[in-house]
Amino acid sequence: MSMDSDSSSSSFGGADHRSFRQITRDRLLIEMLRSTRKSSKSTWKVLIMDKLTVKIMSFSCKMADITEEGVSLVEDLYKRRQPLPSMDAIYFMQPTKENIRIFMSDMSGKNPLYKKAYVFFSSPVQRELVAHIKKDSTVLTRIGALSEMNLEYFAIDSQGFLTDNDKALEELFSESAEGSHKYNACLNTMATRIATVFASMREFPRVHYRVARTIDASTLTTLRDLVPTKLAASVWNCLARYKSTIPEFPQIETCELLIVDRSIDQVAPIIHEWTYDAMCHDLLGMDGNKYVQEVPSKNGSANEKKEVLLEDHDPVWLELRHAHIADVNERLHEKMTNFVSKNKAAQLQQARSGGELSTKQLQKMVQALPQYSDQIDKLTLHVEIAGKLNNIIKEQHLKDVGQLEQDLVFGDAGTKELINFLRTRLDVSRENKLRLLMIYASINPEKFESEKGAKLMQLAGLSADDMTAVNNMRCLCGPDIKKSSSAVGFSLKFDLHKKKHGIRKDRIGEESTWMLSRFYPILEDLIEKLSKGELPKDEYHCMNDPSPSFRGISGSVSAQTSPAHQPAQSMRSRRIGGTWARPRNSDDGYSSDSVLKHASSDFRKLGQRLFVFVIGGATRSELRAAHKLTGKLKREIILGSTSLDDPPQFITKLKMLSAEELSLDDLQI
């Protein structure tokens, strides 16, 4: 028994050309589970996990994968468990005092629960806790392995991870966060978990971060504005430890990490997105990736409800998830037409129906053609979802709402157009008017200094609860000047000389024929600037000066992949028109076939990895940008965050931050 950091390090040293999620999965299945076979005489084992590690495992592995590695039973560490003294156990858990207490209780005494224990900690364990384990000689003889896996994150996507800090906005940026225990605990947990990503990937990053934004020398920098700085320092400390404790951990920089917070782009979490994945999660009220589908029952009675996961194992979802909804409609129609043209039974069914096959007819066809059931099932599912989305677009008048949202963001509409919309469009829901006002508040915070803001909210018919969200939204816009003690309500004075945050320019060379596909997250620009070494030095600092060899590699990559420098386009420019239809050769870079076409699955062809971490919640548009830019920049872009928020979730989080908390003198998030 030895205390190791990352037991099977040799197989992960040097250049690794697997994808982010594949490396995570291999470490759990091979480095952890399979490694126990060497010394274990037990054919089947019990896997015991805590509440966090069971999620870590479920995001990367299926039950079948775990069973294949010799695990016959998965147990909850905190629940009372049946003694299985003839079997060995694998513990995958956080290195907390409570977890170790339970483990010691399981394995001590004359009648331990299991024959032998293989212990894997998800993050670095304190020395005193290891000493506590080693004190008990009886337990010590029953331990087959005691190792730090250093894997404490959720691999939510092939290029995305979460640190499971869902309350980060509240714990780091609310007034009560100042000097609180939760503030430090949240930052420390976040830093530890981010660092384990680099332990898993065997990467040592150059750590860039957004610096605190003070207006002038007289303005105090608050703890809230220092969050990216503090997180960068904590991550750096964790990585410094890895350099000396993990075998073959790189000693020079191998990649880049950019740490930002939600203040870089307050519009992205609110605006209506028009890509399939984002619309499903925004408009269908899904629970995570679960969609409830209605299918005909086998006995012919009423429809049954069936839970379906919209994930990577579904090839149709994988192809369509980043595509514009209009593109999705066209592609599904093409797929259905192709299927019918190649299948005689489907043609017969279509002839009977006298035209297009309905979803119900397709579902009945599944029963008649079992050999095609999986193919038809997938198509039927997505035809149903796309149909629901199209109905919601019509019912909620989302094309009109979306057009005004994008016009506001690109500076083609202002107060006059917004007032006119709020006054005349009584058919638009309160929720969508709320989102319009939140976007407006993030772009024009100074408009809410006087009674104008209150009048706009009144015109929109917002509730007091909604008004809290709007006021908190404008407070996310960066530093403000101290208000006088006589100020009333939640009035704030903003730096009027600062450029408007939400206004953005059209991206050159990426004009799309799709309507409402103009919007892009600010993070997309930042990633490109980071890749080219062009991050503004007054806004972004770096924890470590790059090693000469790294500078050389970075420069060569930038030279090969960066487009020629082009002059900025006018902020007022606007692409007129756009359509729900596209020519066959259209490639807007966002559709999945475009991403797959440009980004080779062979990661050996890609340059150095680029990691971005967003404190306070990332958006699906930002995750989509990571996929898109991987192809464009020929570098694997990996997006991390405290949570992945859809607009309803983000708005709820803002409401939970009370107006009183967020409108204090120097709140800058």
Side-chain angles (χ1 to χ4, degrees):
M1 192 280 300
S2 63
M3 181 64 209
D4 299 322
S5 283
D6 301 283
S7 48
S8 306
S9 59
S10 58
S11 62
F12 292 89
D16 199 325
H17 306 301
R18 292 163 298 160
S19 70
F20 166 69
R21 185 183 249 171
Q22 187 63 44
I23 288 173
T24 305
R25 183 176 177 274
D26 287 353
R27 289 202 66 219
L28 291 167
L29 296 177
I30 301 168
E31 187 176 333
M32 185 171 75
L33 300 184
R34 194 178 297 176
S35 69
T36 63
R37 288 182 186 175
K38 297 171 189 174
S39 59
S40 175
K41 293 175 183 176
S42 175
T43 310
W44 292 100
K45 297 180 189 68
V46 185
L47 174 60
I48 299 149
M49 296 180 282
D50 61 31
K51 287 181 175 65
L52 181 82
T53 54
V54 76
K55 286 185 181 177
I56 292 169
M57 186 66 79
S58 65
F59 272 108
S60 296
C61 311
K62 294 176 184 174
M63 193 63 214
D65 301 326
I66 298 167
T67 305
E68 204 171 301
E69 296 302 333
V71 172
S72 60
L73 182 64
V74 176
E75 294 264 48
D76 184 335
L77 179 69
Y78 302 121
K79 288 184 179 172
R80 193 170 181 177
R81 285 164 275 123
Q82 178 190 349
L84 297 164
S86 64
M87 291 181 75
D88 290 349
I90 301 168
Y91 285 80
F92 178 37
M93 60 189 184
Q94 298 173 85
T96 65
K97 284 182 183 177
E98 179 61 12
N99 285 359
I100 289 169
R101 185 195 66 75
I102 296 170
F103 161 71
M104 296 290 283
S105 172
D106 288 352
M107 298 305 296
S108 62
K110 290 182 181 179
N111 301 303
L113 290 188
Y114 313 104
K115 188 177 180 182
K116 205 162 193 138
Y118 296 83
V119 183
F120 298 91
F121 293 116
S122 56
S123 55
V125 59
Q126 293 175 2
R127 286 182 184 177
E128 54 266 34
L129 294 178
V130 177
H132 178 62
I133 294 170
K134 289 184 175 180
K135 268 184 193 175
D136 192 322
S137 57
T138 315
V139 172
L140 204 58
T141 58
R142 294 168 182 159
I143 295 177
L146 191 63
S147 179
E148 291 175 345
M149 273 300 288
N150 292 319
L151 199 162
E152 201 170 284
Y153 55 86
F154 301 162
I156 57 159
D157 182 87
S158 57
Q159 289 173 230
F161 71 91
L162 299 180
T163 57
D164 194 35
N165 298 102
D166 202 46
K167 292 187 175 179
L169 269 182
E170 182 185 337
E171 292 176 353
L172 298 176
F173 300 110
S174 69
E175 166 58 18
S176 59
E178 284 286 348
S180 75
H181 168 71
K182 284 184 178 178
Y183 178 96
N184 291 322
C186 181
L187 272 178
N188 290 337
T189 303
M190 206 185 296
T192 299
R193 291 176 182 173
I194 293 168
T196 68
V197 169
F198 295 97
S200 282
M201 303 295 283
R202 286 296 188 277
E203 294 268 25
F204 176 46
R206 186 172 180 227
V207 184
H208 306 262
Y209 60 94
R210 184 193 65 72
V211 297
R213 291 168 291 187
T214 51
I215 295 163
D216 52 44
S218 66
T219 311
L220 289 173
T221 301
T222 66
L223 274 178
R224 305 173 200 83
D225 207 29
L226 282 169
V227 167
T229 308
K230 283 179 172 285
L231 182 60
S234 291
V235 170
W236 180 252
N237 289 337
C238 294
L239 293 170
R241 180 186 179 278
Y242 285 156
K243 284 176 81 172
S244 60
T245 58
I246 296 179
E248 298 182 35
F249 191 80
Q251 299 299 304
I252 60 168
E253 297 88 347
T254 59
C255 64
E256 309 215 33
L257 165 65
L258 173 62
I259 295 173
V260 295
D261 62 19
R262 195 60 269 165
S263 71
I264 60 156
D265 188 354
Q266 302 86 43
V267 174
I270 302 298
I271 197 165
H272 282 90
E273 274 280 319
W274 293 87
T275 49
Y276 192 42
D277 179 15
M279 293 192 85
C280 285
H281 287 88
D282 183 4
L283 304 177
L284 298 180
M286 288 168 54
D287 175 15
N289 291 332
K290 288 178 194 168
Y291 173 76
V292 179
Q293 183 186 19
E294 288 198 3
V295 294
S297 61
K298 289 176 183 176
N299 59 15
S301 60
N303 283 356
E304 295 175 348
K305 289 191 174 179
K306 174 185 169 188
E307 272 192 358
V308 188
L309 289 175
L310 299 181
E311 290 180 341
D312 292 4
H313 58 76
D314 176 349
V316 181
W317 171 255
L318 201 58
E319 179 193 337
L320 300 178
R321 62 179 177 163
H322 297 316
H324 189 285
I325 185 63
D327 192 12
V328 170
N329 293 334
E330 283 196 12
R331 290 202 214 181
L332 286 173
H333 179 77
E334 284 172 11
K335 286 176 187 296
M336 202 61 75
T337 305
N338 288 341
F339 177 78
V340 171
S341 68
K342 292 172 186 175
N343 189 282
K344 288 181 180 177
Q347 289 167 19
L348 187 64
Q349 186 78 34
Q350 187 176 40
R352 283 178 191 161
S353 67
E356 291 280 320
L357 288 167
S358 70
T359 303
K360 282 184 181 177
Q361 286 168 331
L362 283 163
Q363 287 169 338
K364 284 177 183 174
M365 199 191 295
V366 172
Q367 294 167 359
L369 303 167
Q371 67 271 38
Y372 298 110
S373 64
D374 190 53
Q375 192 179 354
I376 305 171
D377 266 346
K378 293 282 191 291
L379 280 176
T380 306
L381 168 67
H382 293 288
V383 167
E384 178 186 311
I385 293 173
K388 278 191 181 179
L389 292 176
N390 289 321
N391 287 337
I392 292 170
I393 290 168
K394 288 174 189 169
E395 288 164 11
Q396 297 189 13
H397 311 283
L398 291 186
K399 284 187 189 178
D400 296 336
V401 173
Q403 188 63 61
L404 181 54
E405 285 177 345
Q406 299 206 13
D407 285 349
L408 286 168
V409 168
F410 285 90
D412 296 321
T415 313
K416 182 182 171 185
E417 289 82 1
L418 177 63
I419 289 172
N420 185 52
F421 189 91
L422 296 176
R423 185 175 286 142
T424 59
R425 295 303 300 265
L426 303 177
D427 52 355
V428 172
S429 70
R430 198 189 80 234
E431 288 78 13
N432 287 327
K433 287 181 179 178
L434 166 63
R435 284 167 73 166
L436 274 168
L437 272 176
M438 291 175 83
I439 290 168
Y440 181 78
S442 71
I443 296 167
N444 305 288
E446 73 282 355
K447 302 283 187 188
F448 285 76
E449 291 242 341
S450 59
E451 292 179 5
K452 284 181 187 174
K455 284 180 179 175
L456 278 172
M457 289 188 277
Q458 195 177 354
L459 184 61
L462 301 190
S463 65
D465 199 31
D466 292 340
M467 290 183 187
T468 300
V470 176
N471 281 287
N472 289 352
M473 187 71 188
R474 68 182 174 82
C475 292
L476 300 182
C477 296
D480 47 84
I481 302 166
K482 300 261 180 196
K483 64 178 179 181
S484 68
S485 57
S486 61
V488 292
F490 24 71
S491 170
L492 277 173
K493 291 184 180 176
F494 288 83
D495 179 12
L496 302 183
H497 300 294
K498 198 170 179 70
K499 70 175 182 180
K500 290 179 180 177
H501 233 71
I503 298 282
R504 59 200 78 191
K505 301 170 186 175
D506 284 310
R507 285 174 67 81
I508 303 210
E510 291 192 11
E511 287 77 7
S512 169
T513 50
W514 296 120
M515 249 178 98
L516 304 169
S517 57
R518 193 179 178 192
F519 178 80
Y520 62 91
I522 293 291
L523 201 65
E524 194 170 327
D525 269 352
L526 288 177
I527 291 170
E528 291 210 58
K529 283 177 182 173
L530 175 60
S531 183
K532 292 187 279 187
E534 294 175 2
L535 280 177
K537 288 185 170 60
D538 57 333
E539 294 176 36
Y540 295 90
H541 290 179
C542 184
M543 290 297 296
N544 44 336
D545 288 322
S547 306
S549 59
F550 177 84
R551 192 181 292 115
I553 294 167
S554 179
S556 64
V557 169
S558 298
Q560 289 168 13
T561 59
S562 61
H565 182 71
Q566 294 173 317
Q569 197 166 327
S570 165
M571 183 167 67
R572 296 289 302 180
S573 69
R574 181 187 185 190
R575 290 195 300 278
I576 305 297
T579 172
W580 287 105
R582 72 177 165 106
R584 291 292 96 201
N585 61 355
S586 168
D587 180 7
D588 59 7
Y590 278 113
S591 56
S592 286
D593 66 343
S594 167
V595 173
L596 293 169
K597 189 163 61 185
H598 295 308
S600 169
S601 59
D602 183 358
F603 283 91
R604 270 168 282 202
K605 293 178 183 176
L606 298 182
Q608 292 180 331
R609 290 186 178 101
L610 199 156
F611 297 79
V612 184
F613 191 83
V614 183
I615 307 162
T619 69
R620 291 181 194 276
S621 61
E622 289 163 343
L623 186 56
R624 188 180 76 243
H627 283 272
K628 172 190 171 184
L629 291 176
T630 291
K632 183 177 179 181
L633 302 175
K634 303 291 186 288
R635 299 176 73 171
E636 187 183 6
I637 314 293
I638 297 165
L639 175 70
S641 186
T642 48
S643 56
L644 185 66
D645 295 333
D646 300 303
Q649 293 168 296
F650 187 74
I651 292 168
T652 300
K653 287 182 180 181
L654 281 178
K655 286 179 179 180
M656 288 168 68
L657 294 169
S658 75
E660 184 184 353
E661 286 173 342
L662 268 180
S663 59
L664 292 175
D665 297 345
D666 45 15
L667 178 52
Q668 306 154 26
I669 105 173

